[in-house]
Amino acid sequence: MTDLDLDLLVELVPGAEPQVVAAGGRPRDFRRVSSVLRGQEKALVERLIREVEADGRPAVRTADTGVTYLAAPVSGPDHGVPAVQIVAGTDLADTTRAAPCAVGHWEMFPDSAPRLHVTPEFLDLAGVPAVERDRAVYGPLDFFQRVARIADLVRLWEDLLTAGPGYRSSGSVIVRRTDGAVGVLLYAQRYLRTDSGPRVRVILQDATATADRADLGFELLDATVSMAITETAEMFGAVVESRWPAPCVLQWLTGYPKWAGHGVSTGQTPGLHPDDIARIPGLLTELAAHGIVRSTMRTRSRSLTGGWVHSRFAGRMIDPAVSGTLGLVLVHPEPIGIEDEAGNVLVEGG
């Protein structure tokens, strides 16, 4: 637990009372401020929230008890203020130790993967490295690549795609950032109707400082063992969403295959050969019918200008009781051939 006298993350909901979504480094299930605080402290905090909501700037008050209260806006990608962080300490310096927070929102589409609109602070919490921060809008891989446990990934993903009016959810998720560091993020999600269409707003708070490192290690044992087995077998594995004509990679289980090129990982260029993209509906049909499919695929090569690497792969559905559209793809790392843009074979494979 934090040693601050008070540490709250409060969601601002249009037309409704502010909701406490985190307190003391733990999720709180959308509780009213009046159910968390009492008396003069409640009145002071509610006043600070109103001030920040009105002008979008931090506000500070010192109570008669000598405790300093700081209310800081948490800005979203649309530059609005969807959340306020409240911290209190015995002096103003204490309030600078507030946990980092951020807001993003998913733009929802009926026939393709959602797009993620974020702030730099959101990318910081997710652990997205500077080399991949080359866009204004991101995709599912940019966030779910860092979710450490597949069970969390599937739960969050299914919630996202089925969210509708009235949906809200909060909890915590363990993340493994690109540099290998493990952290804990608290989240609060809410479905919103906007002038631009449906959105799922996500508020994040870094709760790593309050987590027990040994407990995190135990929580990640299955994921760590699976990663070690796959890497030892020299395979690349991916969790793939297959409900749309073009598959959507949610996570590379063993890290992103560097031979596929950075442009693929950030969504700037198609990662698959156009002819192989055209084969995907048939492969998905085979996968749905038999539960497994084996084939080859050409992926873009960074080492060759416009070249393609041929690789073997096998796909299978995960537990149908969990999801009818999520599958696992295993890619053999040894290329079985390389061709240039014109289709001339440069390297014969085995």
Side-chain angles (χ1 to χ4, degrees):
M1 295 288 291
T2 176
D3 59 354
L4 290 168
D5 291 333
L6 185 69
D7 181 6
L8 299 180
L9 181 59
V10 180
E11 180 189 23
L12 302 182
V13 185
E17 187 174 347
Q19 308 282 302
V20 177
V21 296
R26 299 183 183 276
R28 298 299 288 265
D29 192 20
F30 302 93
R31 301 183 62 182
R32 295 178 300 171
V33 175
S34 58
S35 69
V36 177
L37 303 177
R38 296 288 187 273
Q40 292 182 346
E41 186 174 48
K42 166 184 168 295
L44 187 151
V45 167
E46 289 179 333
R47 178 182 174 187
L48 287 172
I49 292 173
R50 289 193 297 269
E51 289 183 22
V52 173
E53 186 176 15
D55 62 21
R57 293 183 297 179
V60 179
R61 294 286 183 276
T62 300
D64 295 340
T65 59
V67 175
T68 299
Y69 291 78
L70 168 66
V74 184
S75 299
D78 58 357
H79 306 296
V81 181
V84 176
Q85 188 172 20
I86 308 288
V87 293
T90 53
D91 59 52
L92 188 58
D94 287 342
T95 65
T96 64
R97 294 185 286 109
C101 297
V103 175
H105 64 244
W106 293 98
E107 182 180 11
M108 308 303 296
F109 302 97
D111 54 0
S112 64
R115 296 189 300 183
L116 183 59
H117 298 257
V118 296
T119 61
E121 292 79 11
F122 194 100
L123 298 177
D124 290 341
L125 293 189
V128 178
V131 70
E132 294 183 21
R133 300 189 185 194
D134 51 5
R135 290 157 292 147
V137 178
Y138 292 76
L141 180 65
D142 295 293
F143 178 76
F144 288 102
Q145 178 62 46
R146 281 89 192 172
V147 176
R149 299 184 298 191
I150 301 301
D152 289 341
L153 183 157
V154 174
R155 174 174 48 82
L156 290 169
W157 179 248
E158 294 291 337
D159 277 358
L160 176 63
L161 296 188
T162 58
Y167 166 80
R168 67 182 189 183
S169 176
S170 64
S172 63
V173 60
I174 301 175
V175 294
R176 195 189 304 271
R177 299 181 172 94
T178 303
D179 62 3
V182 175
V184 177
L185 299 180
L186 307 184
Y187 68 87
Q189 301 186 141
R190 182 184 296 272
Y191 178 92
L192 298 173
R193 292 188 180 275
T194 73
D195 293 340
S196 301
R199 301 284 189 271
V200 175
R201 186 171 69 190
V202 184
I203 302 173
L204 296 180
Q205 184 180 59
D206 190 342
T208 306
T210 66
D212 185 285
R213 305 300 295 182
D215 286 346
L216 287 180
F218 279 110
E219 292 282 356
L220 293 180
L221 275 179
D222 285 348
T224 301
V225 170
S226 296
M227 181 181 296
I229 292 172
T230 310
E231 289 180 340
T232 301
E234 297 185 339
M235 301 284 286
F236 286 102
V239 178
V240 179
E241 172 59 68
S242 63
R243 73 182 66 199
W244 302 294
C248 170
V249 175
L250 300 183
Q251 184 180 103
W252 282 99
L253 303 174
T254 48
Y256 191 78
K258 298 185 182 306
W259 41 259
H262 169 64
V264 180
S265 68
T266 59
Q268 296 299 297
T269 56
L272 302 180
H273 192 285
D275 292 344
D276 289 335
I277 292 176
R279 295 169 48 220
I280 287 174
L283 293 172
L284 293 178
T285 299
E286 182 179 347
L287 180 60
H290 304 290
I292 189 169
V293 61
R294 299 180 188 277
S295 185
T296 61
M297 194 68 66
R298 285 165 289 183
T299 55
R300 191 175 297 278
S301 171
R302 187 170 178 82
S303 61
L304 297 172
T305 303
W308 302 94
V309 177
H310 295 236
S311 296
R312 299 184 182 92
F313 81 92
R316 64 176 65 242
M317 301 303 295
I318 66 171
D319 187 344
V322 174
S323 173
T325 57
L326 284 176
L328 173 66
V329 174
L330 294 177
V331 182
H332 196 284
E334 294 296 332
I336 59 175
I338 299 176
E339 67 180 53
D340 62 17
E341 197 72 48
N344 300 309
V345 176
L346 304 180
V347 177
E348 292 284 357

